[in-house]
Each structure stands twice: as structure tokens, then as C-alpha cells.
Amino acid sequence: MKKKLAVMALAAATLSMMAMPVYADDLVTVGYAQVGHESDWRTANTQNYQDVFSEDAGYSLDLVDCDNDNAAQLEAVRTFISKDMDYIVIAPIQSAGWDTVLQEAQDAGIPVIIADREIEASDDLYDAWVGTNTTNEGITAGNWLAEYLGDADANILVIEGSVGASATLGRTDGFNQVAGEHDNWTILDSQSGDFTQAGGQEVMESFIKSYEGQFNVVICQNDNEAYGAMDAMDAAGITYGVDGDVTLISFDATHDGLQYTLDGKINCDVECNPIQAETVKGVIEKMQAGEDYEKTTLVEDQAFVAPGIESEYATTMTQEVLDGRAY
């Protein structure tokens, strides 16, 4: 009887083990050096990686929030190398200064995927890049403004993103390309709001003091900066958006940003799509299988405008559009 019970217990234990999830040793390890948590966009991007690179999908994700600290991000990548991660994904805080640590990853035989932002390094030092074209985002904003204003003058204030970030550089360069084609456009000032609501409010408050009554366009390089700029203009009694004295342009097209667009407070919101982890996972799967993969993959994005505005460059916001958004 005891022998029979022992056999039954062993069988039960075997079935239990068969029903258990895949062991951690069998998971593909991915280290993600995330920029930080400075914006709603970044939060959505982090959640996307956590959802996609789950244990159920066969992955072990080590995500490090680098809190917009470039030195901390370099250290995070070196920690991934020391842990011998299968893959390293980097959303670079700054575009420069990556050559040495990328060479270290390459020497360790660990594939590196640059995501979201770009870097100033030879493409021989990393294996793939996945992200959006931020220069095109800036061009889209400029083209839309030209379409919207027609022959009217534009006196423009720009709240830039974080200094040295490729998103800042790309959106600035793209918009300036279009602005340079219009003699009646003047960029009065351009300062960094560091992609945060507090930063956007602080810069806008300073702008209002320096350029009161002189501007009719405000460009914020992400939605959180736009929220801060709106707070500052509200406090100063300055109207903006549809039928306002100031045309407000934003970037990212997060849920709240598009809600403000639907409400007519933001005239135009140019998307930077944070749903990128699926694309990164697709690249990794091809690497795992030894298949050819694209060195560069662009994630599609679009632009949105407030109700009542028709545009060649953007989709007019509706509640249906907002309800259908993934973030």
C-alpha cells in the first residue's frame, strides 16, 4: 500500500511539474535600459515592453528606469553585459557617447537593439534600430502649420525636449526646415522643458514675461510640456487652441493629449508611437531563428487635429478615433 501511494505521489508530482510555467533558465533574457518616467508617452512605452516581454511569452525582462541620467544608463547597459543577457535594448537618453559601451557589448557577443531614439555611433556597433522618424514628425508639424495659417504671419515660441535627445534634435530640425521656407515666420525663442509638465510650465511662464503679446504660435515637443504650457497660459489669461489667440502644437499623441485635441485646446498633435515592443520582439525572434532581419525598422505614426479642422497632413479627431487608441 505504501509503495502504491509513493508511485501515485510521484505521478502527481510529475504532472504538476509538467503543468508549471517554463523554467527561468529557458527564458530569453532581455535587458531594457529605459530613459525614465518623465512623460505619459514613456509610461505607455514601459508598459508595452512589460506586456510583450512576459514570462508567458518566453522572456525574462530586466527593465531599468534610468531616470534621465545618462551615466546611470551607461551603467545599466554594463550591468546587462555582466549578467550576460541574451539581448540588450537601449532607448538612449542622449544621442552621443555610446561607442565604448556598445563595443563592450559586441565583445561580449550580446546583440544590441537601439529603440525609440537614435544615437551618434557607427551602425556597425549595434545590431538593429527600431523607432519613429522624429525629423519627419517636425516636418509634419511645420507643414500642418503652413497649411493652417496660409499667408498669415507666425511668431513662434518653442518648448524643446531634453537637451541632447534625438527626439529633440529631430523635431527641431524637421520643423526648422519648414520654417526656413517662410519669410513671415519668426521663431522668437526656443528653450528646453525637458519633456515634463513642470518644465513646460516653467518655460512658458518665462516666455509670457519676455514676449507678452508678441506670439501667436506655441510648439511643445511632447504632450506633458503642452499641459504645463496650457497651465501657464490659463494663469495669464491667454487663450489658445481652436478660436484662441495662440495656435498650440504638441507631439506624442497620448490619450490625454488627444483628449485635449478633441476638446479643441490643442490644435495639432503629432504622434510618436510608443507601441514599439512588438516590433523589437519580431527582430529578436528572427535573430533567435538565425533569419535575416531589417537593420532599421520604422514604427508608423500619424498626426491629429482638433474638430472643425480639415488637413492634408492629419486626421480630424473624433470620439471614435480616441476610443480606438491603444494608449
Side-chain angles (χ1 to χ4, degrees), residues 152-219:
D153 294 343
N155 294 300
I156 305 164
L157 293 170
V158 181
I159 303 179
E160 296 182 8
S162 300
V163 175
S166 66
T168 301
L169 300 173
R171 290 168 190 167
T172 300
D173 181 60
F175 182 81
N176 287 349
Q177 287 181 36
V178 180
E181 300 170 0
H182 297 271
D183 294 336
N184 60 335
W185 289 17
T186 301
I187 298 178
L188 299 171
D189 207 338
S190 186
Q191 296 182 24
S192 171
D194 209 26
F195 286 134
T196 68
Q197 182 166 343
Q201 181 173 350
E202 182 179 354
V203 172
M204 194 67 231
E205 287 171 348
S206 175
F207 281 164
I208 290 169
K209 292 177 182 177
S210 300
Y211 303 100
E212 184 177 1
Q214 300 178 45
F215 62 93
N216 64 337
V217 177
V218 172
I219 298 172

Side-chain angles (χ1 to χ4, degrees), residues 15-267:
L15 288 171
S16 177
M17 290 174 66
M18 291 174 62
M20 289 174 64
V22 179
Y23 290 115
D25 288 347
D26 296 327
L27 298 176
V28 177
T29 57
V30 177
Y32 183 30
Q34 175 63 287
V35 170
H37 51 274
E38 75 286 352
S39 65
D40 295 349
W41 189 99
R42 193 63 54 188
T43 300
N45 181 253
T46 292
Q47 187 62 56
N48 181 225
Y49 273 86
Q50 291 170 333
D51 291 343
V52 169
F53 289 101
S54 66
E55 290 193 7
D56 287 344
Y59 292 90
S60 175
L61 178 66
D62 187 350
L63 189 150
V64 176
D65 181 334
C66 299
D67 200 21
N68 273 288
D69 185 331
N70 188 62
Q73 190 169 51
L74 292 172
E75 183 59 31
V77 174
R78 289 193 167 98
T79 299
F80 294 153
I81 295 171
S82 70
K83 290 181 176 180
D84 195 26
M85 307 295 285
D86 293 322
Y87 297 91
I88 294 173
V89 182
I90 305 168
I93 294 169
Q94 295 185 5
S95 57
W98 285 99
D99 297 66
T100 300
V101 74
L102 289 177
Q103 186 63 60
E104 292 169 11
Q106 194 171 89
D107 292 343
I110 302 174
V112 173
I113 299 171
I114 306 299
D116 171 33
R117 297 178 176 181
E118 299 176 67
I119 58 172
E120 297 171 12
S122 170
D123 63 8
D124 293 336
L125 289 174
Y126 57 91
D127 296 85
W129 178 88
V130 173
T132 63
N133 189 323
T134 57
T135 300
N136 280 351
E137 291 167 10
I139 291 171
T140 295
N143 285 338
W144 174 81
L145 184 62
E147 174 191 58
Y148 185 68
L149 292 180
D151 295 330
D153 294 343
N155 294 300
I156 305 164
L157 293 170
V158 181
I159 303 179
E160 296 182 8
S162 300
V163 175
S166 66
T168 301
L169 300 173
R171 290 168 190 167
T172 300
D173 181 60
F175 182 81
N176 287 349
Q177 287 181 36
V178 180
E181 300 170 0
H182 297 271
D183 294 336
N184 60 335
W185 289 17
T186 301
I187 298 178
L188 299 171
D189 207 338
S190 186
Q191 296 182 24
S192 171
D194 209 26
F195 286 134
T196 68
Q197 182 166 343
Q201 181 173 350
E202 182 179 354
V203 172
M204 194 67 231
E205 287 171 348
S206 175
F207 281 164
I208 290 169
K209 292 177 182 177
S210 300
Y211 303 100
E212 184 177 1
Q214 300 178 45
F215 62 93
N216 64 337
V217 177
V218 172
I219 298 172
C220 301
Q221 290 189 347
N222 82 336
D223 284 339
N224 288 80
E225 289 179 340
Y227 309 154
M230 288 190 288
D231 288 341
M233 286 190 284
D234 286 339
I238 297 170
T239 60
Y240 52 86
V242 176
D243 299 326
D245 292 329
V246 173
T247 298
L248 182 58
I249 298 174
S250 184
F251 291 84
D252 278 0
T254 59
H255 182 277
D256 287 354
L258 290 183
Q259 181 65 64
Y260 282 121
T261 306
L262 181 61
D263 295 341
K265 294 184 177 181
I266 293 175
N267 296 77

